[in-house]
Amino acid sequence: MTQFQAPAQKKLKNISLYINGKFVDAEGKETFENLSPFTNEKINVVASGDSSDIDKAVAAAKKAFQGEWGQLKLDERLNYVYKIGDLIEAHSEEIAMLESYDTGLPISQTRKMIARSAKNFRFYADMVKSHLYGEAYQVDDEFINYSVRKPVGVAGLITPWNAPFMLETWKIAPALATGNTVVLKPAEWSPLSANRIAEVIDKAGLPDGVFNVVHGYGETAGAALVKHPDVPLISFTGETTTGSEIMKNGADALKRFSMELGGKSPIIIFDDADMERALDACTWGVFSFNGERCTANSRVYLHEDIADKFIEQLKQRVDNIRVGDPMEPNTQVGPLVHRDHYDNVKGYIELAEKEGCEVYSGHVPEAFNKGNYVAPTLLLNADNRMRVVQEEIFGPVIAVMTFKDEDEVIELANDVRYGLAGYVWTKDIKRGHRVAQAIDAGMLWVNSQNVRDLRTPFGGSKHSGIGREGGFYAFEFYTETQIIHVSVKDHHIPQFGK
Ligand code: NAD
């Protein structure tokens, strides 16, 4: 028992919806249970909203947008955004514990995510202050044309369970900073920190209706938000198939979409790479966040000259990774978020064996057999034609393959429907750039693991997404550009019928 287990033993209060500045039950009084990934026992009960709750939340958000929030001075609005960041920081340890308790993500990792969440608010408040501007064009001596950026209205935000608090704040911060109001539909399996963000925003004193949370199922609450005529934009992070369903459902209303979807990202390790650093990056990149990471390097391509040695070292890492209690500071891999997801990941490991892989797994201590633990796993002798190489497993599982030369590995790396991220390891600087640019993916790292710079575009190509988040790219999504053409001279006007 460590000090970090304390919140796990407390009974957490049940979770309500947050609509128009008040914590309320779902109108239909429906609820669902929230389960611990560590024991599979009930943590608490969550209000399950549906279309009538979405209607109320959207009406409140629309009223706030047209009223008090829309009329605030920029500094007043941004002060609220900074304040949310400050409050998250002030409660960061407690939020990190809630997040680990709810999702099974190790506390050492959720602490970093919560620190990043506070940064999201400060970063976007700073960005709006200094970089949200229009353009101006002088046209001879006849016109001055200029653009202004306006908030769009009620932003519908739909988020997954894998890094819930960080991903929610990554959307809420730019939406609010640019002047929109928000209805958030968080994932069913990770409601605790979404409830906490509502409490934080409530404490920050934002006007009623500016921020709303409707918990509930994707097919009911989520779908109602997507179809709602007063919600002009939907920012979605989740599975590719869900993204495509959402786009169909929003098509009639011509919604604006940002789609951050699944991945099956390659890490390519050439024979001249710094092996120790590549090994660190490769293991961290797939086993951190319990492997439930959209940008995970879930396919490794090893140059054939270094493959045997690298695989031996990978096996040692897998043997030594500390699988344990997510509340324990030394734990590196915790339980998966939900039993259904555990079954899914285990199913893929069984499939790998049927498809011809040699499966090499680490160890889950007996004491944790009530939890959704999957040991870190290598799928050796994998092949691009296998489903376990083509499909996103979203757990601590990496497919291991070899290659002979650069052309071959580029072809193999690109031979999946996803295009979120990729990683290239080589000491040859020209080859590093060349291969990175040849990979069909939104984000590449050369000689590095996934290190984020909030100013740079985040997002995927192919089936991994549409649009980008981060830096200026968020402005493209969360604001409407309007162009004003002003005649400053009596320019020529055609005289029809004169
Ligand atoms: P999911 O698609 O099952 O669910 C995501 C959200 O969509 C949930 O809130 C869910 O309730 C909601 N939803 C489901 N059906 C809906 C519908 N018909 N209409 C509206 N909303 C609906 O995804 P998940 O299992 O929660 O998350 C894991 C997935 O997210 C993985 O594929 C992962 O790669 C992806 N992901 C992508 C990124 C990225 O930035 N590209 C980041 C994190 C996670």
Side-chain angles (χ1 to χ4, degrees):
M1 291 270 165
T2 70
Q3 53 175 323
F4 299 105
Q5 286 175 325
Q9 294 161 346
K10 275 191 202 160
K11 196 174 175 314
L12 288 160
K13 65 177 193 291
N14 290 338
I15 291 181
S16 310
L17 314 183
Y18 181 66
I19 297 177
N20 203 21
K22 295 192 178 50
F23 289 92
V24 294
D25 289 341
E27 202 162 276
K29 305 287 176 211
E30 294 293 322
T31 58
F32 57 84
E33 288 188 347
N34 182 29
L35 303 179
S36 159
F38 189 56
T39 61
N40 278 299
E41 286 162 4
K42 183 172 93 178
I43 295 177
N44 57 3
V45 166
V46 184
S48 181
D50 62 19
S51 59
S52 56
D53 303 287
I54 290 287
D55 286 347
K56 282 201 281 183
V58 173
K62 187 176 174 185
K63 187 163 171 239
F65 180 73
Q66 291 173 340
E68 199 179 344
W69 186 247
Q71 284 153 22
L72 285 181
K73 300 262 188 231
L74 179 66
D75 276 347
E76 292 170 331
R77 185 170 88 218
L78 296 183
N79 282 344
Y80 282 118
V81 178
Y82 284 120
K83 194 164 177 193
I84 299 169
D86 292 346
L87 284 168
I88 291 173
E89 195 170 75
H91 295 92
S92 57
E93 183 61 15
E94 173 221 331
I95 300 171
M97 283 184 179
L98 274 183
E99 192 81 314
S100 288
Y101 186 47
D102 207 14
T103 61
L105 293 170
I107 185 82
S108 60
Q109 297 167 32
T110 55
R111 281 187 181 132
K112 292 200 176 100
M113 283 196 268
I114 305 311
R116 155 77 194 277
S117 304
K119 237 187 226 173
N120 287 339
F121 286 94
R122 295 190 184 125
F123 172 78
Y124 274 111
D126 288 347
M127 275 291 291
V128 165
K129 206 167 218 170
S130 54
H131 287 104
L132 185 62
Y133 44 70
E135 300 153 67
Y137 301 91
Q138 187 172 341
V139 185
D140 303 323
D141 57 355
E142 292 183 336
F143 278 92
I144 179 85
N145 301 336
Y146 67 92
S147 66
V148 288
R149 284 189 176 271
K150 297 171 158 182
V152 184
V154 180
L157 311 181
I158 302 180
T159 48
W161 46 260
N162 68 311
F165 196 79
M166 200 282 290
L167 289 169
E168 286 151 14
T169 57
W170 179 233
K171 294 180 191 298
I172 298 165
L176 293 182
T178 50
N180 301 282
T181 55
V182 166
V183 177
L184 169 70
K185 208 305 277 173
E188 300 86 311
W189 291 348
S190 58
L192 293 190
S193 60
N195 182 55
R196 199 68 189 88
I197 188 74
E199 290 175 347
V200 163
I201 289 180
D202 194 65
K203 195 166 172 188
L206 272 71
D208 290 349
V210 173
F211 177 74
N212 306 271
V213 182
V214 179
H215 297 275
Y217 293 107
E219 299 72 17
T220 48
L225 185 59
V226 170
K227 287 184 185 152
H228 202 292
D230 290 334
V231 179
L233 71 175
I234 296 284
S235 176
F236 172 74
T237 300
E239 281 184 19
T240 298
T241 46
T242 316
S244 134
E245 172 76 15
I246 286 176
M247 289 186 72
K248 280 180 214 142
N249 288 339
D252 283 347
L254 290 175
K255 297 271 147 144
R256 178 183 300 195
F257 289 115
S258 167
M259 290 278 153
E260 297 291 346
L261 309 175
K264 189 80 180 179
S265 302
I267 178 168
I268 299 169
I269 304 178
F270 284 95
D271 49 347
D272 65 344
D274 179 331
M275 290 303 152
E276 198 57 25
R277 285 177 66 77
L279 187 65
D280 288 342
C282 182
T283 32
W284 181 86
V286 72
F287 299 127
S288 58
F289 291 9
N290 302 340
E292 298 160 329
R293 177 196 274 280
C294 57
T295 53
N297 44 256
S298 48
R299 296 181 285 148
V300 58
Y301 295 95
L302 300 168
H303 188 274
E304 58 183 11
D305 290 350
I306 51 109
D308 288 349
K309 192 161 171 226
F310 198 92
I311 289 169
E312 273 322 298
Q313 290 175 335
L314 263 181
K315 285 180 175 173
Q316 282 172 23
R317 294 290 182 105
V318 158
D319 290 341
N320 294 332
I321 284 175
R322 289 186 296 276
V323 176
D325 180 344
M327 307 311 245
E328 167 66 48
N330 289 330
T331 293
Q332 294 173 319
V333 170
L336 299 186
V337 68
H338 193 275
R339 203 65 183 175
D340 291 355
H341 185 53
Y342 164 93
D343 289 340
N344 217 7
V345 173
K346 282 286 198 188
Y348 271 113
I349 296 173
E350 280 166 27
L351 174 66
E353 271 180 331
K354 285 189 201 132
E355 288 189 303
C357 290
E358 179 201 335
V359 173
Y360 186 91
S361 290
H363 177 64
V364 177
E366 190 63 23
F368 300 131
N369 63 9
K370 280 191 181 160
N372 305 323
Y373 282 91
V374 174
T377 298
L378 308 177
L379 308 181
L380 301 170
N381 307 323
D383 178 306
N384 256 41
R385 283 164 299 190
M386 296 175 177
R387 276 183 55 201
V388 291
V389 176
Q390 293 291 326
E391 297 174 19
E392 185 182 41
I393 299 176
F394 219 55
V397 181
I398 182 166
V400 183
M401 288 155 288
T402 59
F403 68 93
K404 281 189 176 43
D405 61 40
E406 189 178 314
D407 288 346
E408 182 196 9
V409 78
I410 289 169
E411 199 176 318
L412 290 169
N414 286 337
D415 172 35
V416 293
R417 68 177 180 140
Y418 294 108
L420 189 57
Y423 308 84
V424 183
W425 283 83
T426 175
K427 283 189 184 143
D428 177 339
I429 184 88
K430 288 186 185 166
R431 178 160 65 186
H433 285 276
R434 204 166 54 229
V435 175
Q437 290 183 26
I439 304 299
D440 298 332
M443 298 170 287
L444 271 292
W445 280 265
V446 179
N447 295 330
S448 175
Q449 81 282 29
N450 170 349
V451 178
R452 276 290 290 139
D453 170 351
L454 302 191
R455 297 166 301 176
T456 60
F458 184 97
S461 56
K462 301 194 318 194
H463 283 225
S464 288
I466 299 174
R468 295 291 182 270
E469 296 183 339
F472 290 112
Y473 299 86
F475 294 163
E476 294 302 317
F477 182 70
Y478 289 108
T479 68
E480 188 78 70
T481 302
Q482 185 183 39
I483 181 82
I484 317 284
H485 306 83
V486 183
S487 164
V488 291
K489 199 179 176 189
D490 287 343
H491 64 286
H492 170 71
I493 301 177
Q495 296 175 323
F496 274 31
K498 192 167 182 184

